[in-house]
Amino acid sequence: PKNKSEIAATPDGLFIVYQSNGKIWRMNQDGTNPVQLTFGAHDVHPDPSPDGQSVLYASFADWSPSIGGKPTLWSVPINGGPPRQLTTISTSMPHYSPDGKWIAAAYFPGIDPRFSEEQLVVFHSNGGQPVKTFTGLPTPSDTVRWAPNSAALDFIITKDGVGNIWRQPINGAKR
């Protein structure tokens, strides 16, 4: 497939996952054997699991260019198969924690991301409802990433032209 974007490698280096034309694909690390993993209306933001066995992504089930839509988080096996829905609230831009126990994602209380504020939420890796919601912080679309110990989220805050890296523990302690 042409138009590859949102490219990420599995931690074991065996596969590369990417988004192309609203579908999630997997290919070998040398670029051969592309396999379409998802078949939703608009599937984006792939993030391979730390064990390399699945791919986390956002799916806009009722998406169209003119009306937008509500994204939810899903997981699909790296070798293909039925996807599993992880969230029912409006969430997107997911990232697994390094230990695979958590997911950080953008949450849109207003349902349609185009017209909603964006908050940062943390879920258990099996989905469900958020275990923590952070307001007033940068969000996954603003380069939020997990700390190596999976106990905090790191992000950049720029004030007066100077960027600094901040860390927010997921237990809610003051940063």
Side-chain angles (χ1 to χ4, degrees):
K2 295 182 181 181
N3 305 320
K4 297 175 185 76
S5 65
E6 302 181 318
I7 299 165
T10 57
D12 57 16
L14 293 177
F15 300 110
I16 296 170
V17 297
Y18 57 95
Q19 183 272 133
S20 179
N21 299 314
K23 308 295 183 247
I24 305 301
W25 291 74
R26 179 210 79 201
M27 65 182 168
N28 295 339
Q29 52 96 5
D30 64 0
T32 62
N33 194 30
V35 175
Q36 185 175 341
L37 298 177
T38 69
F39 299 86
H42 191 68
D43 301 328
V44 292
H45 311 308
D47 188 53
S49 63
D51 65 6
Q53 297 301 303
S54 62
V55 179
L56 180 64
Y57 64 98
S59 182
F60 291 75
D62 300 319
W63 184 86
S64 81
S66 61
I67 64 168
K70 174 186 172 181
T72 54
L73 302 185
W74 294 70
S75 177
V76 65
I78 194 73
N79 291 318
R84 184 170 61 93
Q85 187 171 6
L86 301 176
T87 65
T88 56
I89 63 173
S90 186
T91 43
S92 187
M93 294 171 270
H95 296 286
Y96 275 114
S97 62
D99 65 8
K101 294 180 181 177
W102 304 102
I103 297 168
Y107 166 57
F108 305 97
I111 298 181
D112 188 329
R114 299 174 303 164
F115 309 109
S116 177
E117 70 174 303
E118 187 178 336
Q119 298 176 359
L120 177 62
V121 291
V122 175
F123 297 92
H124 287 287
S125 61
N126 59 356
Q129 293 298 309
V131 295
K132 194 71 182 170
T133 300
F134 297 100
T135 57
L137 294 181
T139 57
S141 63
D142 294 322
T143 67
V144 170
R145 295 296 181 261
W146 283 96
N149 66 2
S150 299
L153 294 159
D154 295 339
F155 51 90
I156 298 170
I157 294 180
T158 302
K159 290 185 180 178
D160 299 323
V162 178
N164 288 290
I165 298 173
W166 290 75
R167 179 165 284 172
Q168 172 62 60
I170 61 170
N171 67 8
K174 205 161 177 108
R175 53 181 176 207

